[in-house]
Amino acid sequence: ETGVTQSPTHLIKTRGQQVTLRCSSQSGHNTVSWYQQALGQGPQFIFQYYREEENGRGNFPPRFSGLQFPNYSSELNVNALELDDSALYLCASSPGQGRNQPQHFGDGTRLSIL
Amino acid sequence: AQKITQTQPGMFVQEKEAVTLDCTYDTSDPSYGLFWYKQPSSGEMIFLIYQGSYDQQNATEGRYSLNFQKARKSANLVISASQLGDSAMYFCAMRDLNTGTASKLTFGTGTRLQVTL
């Protein structure tokens, strides 16, 4: 069984640029969530996708957007990058909407903004 | 709004000893789930254990057990027989089980556990 995979593992960008992060969900999982984890903090929920539709969003501005594809893989896009966007971005997948199902996380993408 | 509080920024434990990591939570939802995750320095969040708010018994998974005290709104993680590989950040998280839409996790700030010889 293949777990959650994220790419790239590390990324360096400058302020004002745009970035796309990618996530392949665990086999059989149709729900993908994205989290931002700043240094020394717990992860913060960005949004979730279920069957290619966004079905929940945290307190993040519209320049954070996403997609989910028919194979349930997902992208996180961030426009107009700011210094505070420097963080570890975690993707998590789970099977369906069963709320007692644990979310399974990837290794994350470390994004640094210069 | 849901809130998770982890008051121990760092903990030390000797190898083979047991350790308790504290977690308190606040929610107005009648139905919720509590999760513990381990995050090594590599960054991946590893699921450890789950407790539902209506579960009658405390959850156990191998060396991990959850001391769930609903009236006190606490869900402490107990690790028995600590191993050097247990050194990592540990996060407590909560999910509302009633919301019809997103099943987001709300995380605490974490506890860094260091296992010593």
Side-chain angles (χ1 to χ4, degrees), chain B residues 7-19:
Chain B
T7 58
Q8 305 156 314
M11 290 282 286
F12 286 89
V13 64
Q14 275 197 317
E15 196 180 20
K16 300 179 186 176
E17 297 291 311
V19 63

Side-chain angles (χ1 to χ4, degrees), chain A residues 12-60:
Chain A
I12 299 175
K13 291 285 188 178
T14 56
R15 281 184 300 173
Q17 285 189 311
Q18 178 266 341
V19 69
T20 297
L21 310 182
R22 294 178 174 84
C23 170
S24 293
S25 61
Q26 186 165 321
S27 177
H29 289 188
N30 57 14
T31 301
V32 173
S33 303
W34 286 92
Y35 293 82
Q36 180 196 66
Q37 186 178 17
L39 198 62
Q41 308 267 337
Q44 299 289 317
F45 176 75
I46 303 175
F47 44 56
Q48 182 179 87
Y49 279 83
Y50 172 62
R51 292 184 175 178
E52 303 178 56
E53 296 283 334
E54 182 183 300
N55 72 337
R57 190 178 185 91
N59 190 24
F60 281 82

Side-chain angles (χ1 to χ4, degrees), chain A residues 71-93:
Chain A
N71 66 353
Y72 304 130
S73 65
S74 177
E75 287 183 354
L76 165 64
N77 299 292
V78 187
N79 294 322
L81 286 166
E82 301 176 359
L83 293 178
D84 285 348
D85 296 334
S86 293
L88 177 68
Y89 288 84
L90 292 163
C91 171
S93 73

Side-chain angles (χ1 to χ4, degrees), chain A residues 35 37 55 99 101 103 107, chain B residues 37 39 95 99 101 103:
Chain A
Y35 293 82
Q37 186 178 17
N55 72 337
R99 300 189 190 288
Q101 296 289 330
Q103 295 184 359
D107 289 345
Chain B
Y37 284 85
Q39 188 177 41
R95 177 193 292 171
T99 306
T101 56
S103 53

Side-chain angles (χ1 to χ4, degrees), chain A residues 31 33 35 37 40-45 48 55-58 88 90 94 97-108 110, chain B residues 33 35 37 39-47 50 89 91 95-110:
Chain A
T31 301
S33 303
Y35 293 82
Q37 186 178 17
Q41 308 267 337
Q44 299 289 317
F45 176 75
Q48 182 179 87
N55 72 337
R57 190 178 185 91
L88 177 68
L90 292 163
S94 56
Q97 294 285 282
R99 300 189 190 288
N100 61 348
Q101 296 289 330
Q103 295 184 359
H104 296 269
F105 286 79
D107 289 345
R110 293 189 186 275
Chain B
F35 300 79
Y37 284 85
Q39 188 177 41
S41 56
S42 60
E44 181 185 5
M45 300 286 279
I46 302 167
F47 166 71
Y50 165 80
M89 282 291 288
F91 288 95
R95 177 193 292 171
D96 169 23
L97 297 183
N98 287 319
T99 306
T101 56
S103 53
K104 74 171 189 178
L105 288 171
T106 300
F107 285 85
T109 52

